[in-house]
Amino acid sequence: MTGPGLIALAAHWRRNPLQLFTLVAGLALATALWSGVQAVNMEARASYDAAAATVGEGRFDQLLPRVGDTIAQTQFIALRRAGWQVGPVLEGRIATAGGSLRIVGLDPLTSPGGMGPANRDGAVDLTRMLTDPPLFANAEVARRLEGLGGMTVVVTPDVAANTAITDIGHAQRLLDRPGAISRLIVARDQPLGRPPLEQIAPDLVVQPAQAGGDIGRLTDSFHLNLTAFGLLSFAVGIFIVHGAIGLAFEQRRGMVRTLRALGMPLRRLMALMMAELTVLAFVAGGIGMVLGYAIAGLLLPDVAATLEGLYGADIANTLRLRPEWWVSGMAIAFLGTALAAGGSLARISAMPLLETARAGSMVRGRRTRLALAGAAGLAVAGAGAAVWGQGMIMGFAVLACLLLGAALLLPPALETMLRAFQRRASGAKWQWFWADTRLQLPGLSLALMALLLAMAANVGVSTMVSSFRATFTAFLDQRLAAELYVTADTPSQAAALQAFVAPRAREVLPLLSVPRRMAGNEAELHGIRVGPTYRENWRFLAGDSALWDRVADGTAVIVNEQLARRAGLWLGDPLAVAPGLSLPIAGIFGDYGNPVGQAIVSDALFADLFPDRRATRFGLRTDDPDALRRDLTEVFGLDAGRIVDQAAIKSFSLGVFERTFTVTAALNVLTLAVAGFAILMSLLTLSAMRVPQLAPAWALGLTRRELGRLEVIRAMVLAAFTAAAALPLGLALAWMLLAVVNVAAFGWRLPMFLFPADYARLGLLTVLAALLAALWPAVRLARTPPEALLRVFAHER
Amino acid sequence: MLLQVTGLSKSHAGAAGPVAVLRAVDLAMEAGETVALTGESGSGKSTLLHLIGGLDVPDAGRILLDGQDIGAMDDAGRAALRRGTVGVVFQQFNLIPSLRVAANLEFQARLAGRLDPAQLDGLIDALGLRAHLHKYPEQLSGGQQQRVAIARTLAARPRLVLADEPTGNLDEATAANVLEALLTLVAQTGAGLMMVTHSSALAAHMGRRLHLRAGCLT
Ligand SMILES: Nc1ncnc2c1ncn2[C@@H]1O[C@H](COP(=O)(O)OP(=O)(O)O)[C@@H](O)[C@H]1O
Ligand SMILES: [Mg+2]
C-alpha cells in the first residue's frame, strides 16, 4: 500500500517540475539567507570570545611602564618577591607572507589566565613548553607561520585572529628581544598586606581592566540588526514555500480522494505526505546551507572590516564550519517546512471523502473574512503587547504583529483598490484589465505579501541605518570639535606637552576619565575644560542655556542619555559623582553607539576629586593643524598613532559606516531578489491557468502581444501598490526599531530622519523586480500559438 | 460580395507529418445570406471558420472579407478584423470569466468603438438576459452563457457572424430557441451568418447548406 501511494505522490512532482523547483528553491533560499547571517554572527562571536580569552585583552588589571615600552626583568622579580601575583607578557609583531602577525608570549606558570585559549583541550604540556615550546594559533595563522619554517605550531581554533601565543622565552627569541617584558598581568586575587606598587616599582602604572564590558556587548546592536534581517528574509522565503505547498496539495485533492476511495487509510496517507515533505526539507535545507555558506563568505569580509573599524574587534576573515551552525540551519529548514505545510496538511486531513465543489466567489469571500479576522486578532495582540509589554520583547512582539497583520490585510486592500479602478476605468480593455487583475489576486497574494515584507524591511532598515549615519555624522562634528588629538606616553610628558602647546594652540582640552559606579550603574566620570569649544559645539537632548556656567562652577553635572535612562534620572535630579558629593543634572546629551554611561564635570572639580589622575590625552584647537603636528612630532618624538587629526577620525568613522551599508545593501538586494523570485514563480504557476482566461479576450480582438504587455503592466501595478503600502509599514518598522527596540537594548534613542529619495529608489527597484519577474511569463504568453488558444473553445476539451 | 474564399488550403501537424485538412476550398457568400456548414467530426469545419475569422492563418489561398484581404494582414490587422468585421461564437467558454454579464455584453462593441446602448438593451430583452446582468459567467447555465455570447457578438454589429456549433452543448428546446434568436437578430442587422451544425433540423432553417468532406466543399 505504501509503494503505490508513494508512486502516486511522486507522480505529481514529476508532472509539475516547476512546482517542485519553486518549493525547493524557496526553502533553500530561506535557509540560505538565515544560515548565512547566522554564520557571520557566529564567526564574529567566536572571534570576540577568542579575543577575550587571549590574555591582556582587558579582563585583568595590567602594569605598564611609565616610559618606553619595556619592563625590566628585575622589576618583575621584585614584584613577585614582594608577593604580587603578576604574570609577564611580551608582545610584538613578526612579518609573514600574509602580513604581520601579533606574537603574544606568556609564562604558563605565573600568568593568571594561563596560556589563554591554548589551555583548552589539554594542549599545554608543561615539560614540553619548557623544552620545545610550540606556537598556538588558528589554522590560517598556522599556515602562514609554517611558511617561515622551523616552527612547531599547534592549531588551536580559539586563538584570536592574526595572533599566535607561545611561551615568553620562546617569544623573546622569536622577536629577538631577550629578557624583555611588555606588560605584567595582575591576577584578581592578591595577598593581603602586599606593599604598594609605588614602593616596589615606581616606574610602573596600573591600567585598570576595561570597564566597558566585553566587545561582544558593544557589537550587539550590529548583530541584532543582522539577525532581524535574516529572520525577515527567512519569512519571505517561507511565503514562497507556503504558496508552492498550498498549490501542490490543492491540486492533489482529487488524487487524495481517489487513493482513499481505493482503500488507503487517511493516517497512512498523511504519514506518507509528511515523509515526502521531510525528504524535501532535507534536500532543500542542504542546498540552502551550501548557499548560505557562500553568502556568508561574501558578507564576512565587509562585516569583519566594519566590526574592526567600529569596535576594534579582530574578526577572522575565513569561515569555519561549526556543527552548531549545521544543526541550526537544518532545524530552521524543517521548522520552515512545518510552518508552510501545516495548514495544507490540516486541510487534507479534514477533507471529507465526498466533497462537493464550492463556488469560487464563496471561497474568495471566506478568505477575505479570514484575513480580516486574523489582522484584527493581530492588532489586538499587538496593542496588548504595547500596553502591557515591557522593553525589547514588547518591541519585537509589536513588530511581529504589525508585519503579519499588514501582510494579511494586503490582499483585501488590493482588492478594494482594484475594484475602485475597475469602476472608474474608461474603455472596455482597461475595465477588463482591472477585473482580470482581481481574478489573479488570490494566486499572487502570497508573493505580494512576501514583496510587502521585503520592501517594508528595506524601508525600515535603510531608514534606521541612514538615520544612524546622519546622527552619527552630526555627533562626530559635535564630539570631534578639536582639530588634533594627542596622547602622551606619561603624565610628565603630558605636562611638558601642555606647556609646549599652550602658546601655539587656540584652546587645549584635557580629556580625563575614571571608571566609577554611579546611581547603581557601571559608568565613567569625565573631566573637561569648559570653554568656547564645548559651548559652541555641543547640543543637548535636554538642558537649559546656562548649564555650561554651572558645570564650569562645579555646581552641576551633565550625563549622557544612557546613564540618564538606565538610572531613571532626568534634569534636576541629583547624581552622586564621588563619595560625599552629589550634583544636580543640568543637561543630557546624546552619545550614540557608546554602551557605557557617562557623567561629565569640570576639569577643576575632577582634579579635586581624583588628584592622582592626570590627563594624558588632549584635544587641541588650532588653525594650522599640520604645523602643530609637525612641531609635536619633532619636539616630543610622538609617533603617528599618538597624534590623530579630526578629519582622519571622521573620514575613518564614516568609511566604517559605508562598509556597514555595503552589508545592509547586499542583504536588501537579496531579500528583494527573493521576493521577485516569488512573483516569478507565482506568475509561472498561474500562466498554466491563464490561457483559458485570455482566449476569449484574444478571440474578441486583442492581440497576443497586447495581452503579454498587459500581463507585465499588471505585475508592475500590483508591485507599485504593494510598494506604496510597504512605505508606511517600513516607516513604522523603523520607528519601532529606533524608538523602542534600540532604547530597550542600548539605552539611547536615535532620532528618525526620512529619506524620500531612498524610498523612491527602493520603490523603483521593487517595480523593476516585478517587471523582470513578469517578463518571461509574458513573453511566453505572447508567443502562445493560436492553436493553443483555439483549443480552449474546442469541444474535445 | 461579403466573403470570397479561393483555393484555401490548410494542414495541421499530425503524428506522421502534416495532415491536409482543407484542400483548395472555394466559397462565396453575399451579405445577409445564412449558410449552414455540415460535415463529419474532424472534417475541418472549425478550421475553416477559424481561417475566415482571422483566428488562424492559411497555408495557401485567399480570403476576401468585405473587400479586405485577410492573408495580407499581420497579427494586429487580424485582431482589428476580429474586433470590427467578424463575430465568432464558439461552442463553449466564450465569456471572459473575470467580467460580469453586463460587462461581457458590452465588451466587443466597446472594443470596436460602436456600442449602441439602446440596441444592446433590445438584445438583452430579446435573449432574456435582464435577470442575469450582475452575475459572473460561472454562475450561468450553458444555454444562458451561449445567449450572452450571441448577444455580445450581435451588439458589436459585425458584417459576418461565424458560429461554431453554438448549440452543440444545449438540449433540443433550448437549441431551437437560441437559433431562432440568432436568425432573427442577424436578419435585423443585415449581417451574413455561417453556422457549423450537426443537426439537419437546424440546418434546414438556413438559406444554404454546404457540406465539407475530404477537405473540399460540396
Ligand atoms: N491545432 C491542431 N493541431 C493538430 N491537429 C489539429 C489541430 N486542430 C485541428 N486539428 C485536426 O484537424 C482536423 C480538423 O479539425 P476541426 O477543424 O476541428 O474539425 P471539425 O471542427 O470539423 O470537427 C481534425 O483531424 C483535428 O484533429
Ligand atoms: Mg469543430
Side-chain angles (χ1 to χ4, degrees), chain A residues 361 426-428 431-432 435-436 438-439 693 696 698-704 786 790 792-795 797, chain B residues 50 55-56 75-76 79 82-83 90-99 107-108 110-111 136 138-139 152 165:
Chain A
S361 47
S426 62
Q431 203 173 22
W432 166 74
D436 196 55
R438 284 173 59 197
L439 191 69
Q693 292 168 354
W698 169 77
L700 293 179
L702 290 176
T703 58
R704 285 170 296 161
L790 286 171
V792 171
F793 308 109
H795 36 106
R797 199 164 80 123
Chain B
H50 293 161
L55 292 156
D56 208 349
D75 212 44
R82 297 197 296 272
R83 284 199 294 273
F90 299 98
Q91 185 179 355
Q92 56 188 351
F93 304 116
N94 281 289
L95 304 183
I96 296 177
S98 54
L99 294 178
F107 191 77
Q108 195 175 6
R110 286 178 63 188
L111 277 186
Y136 281 99
E138 64 185 29
Q139 295 166 303
R152 184 182 66 186
E165 302 187 47

Side-chain angles (χ1 to χ4, degrees), chain A residues 787 791 795-796, chain B residues 12-13 21 40-47 165:
Chain A
E787 304 94 75
R791 217 170 294 140
H795 36 106
E796 293 93 14
Chain B
H12 284 303
V21 181
E40 284 178 10
S41 181
S43 58
K45 305 178 298 289
S46 297
T47 302
E165 302 187 47

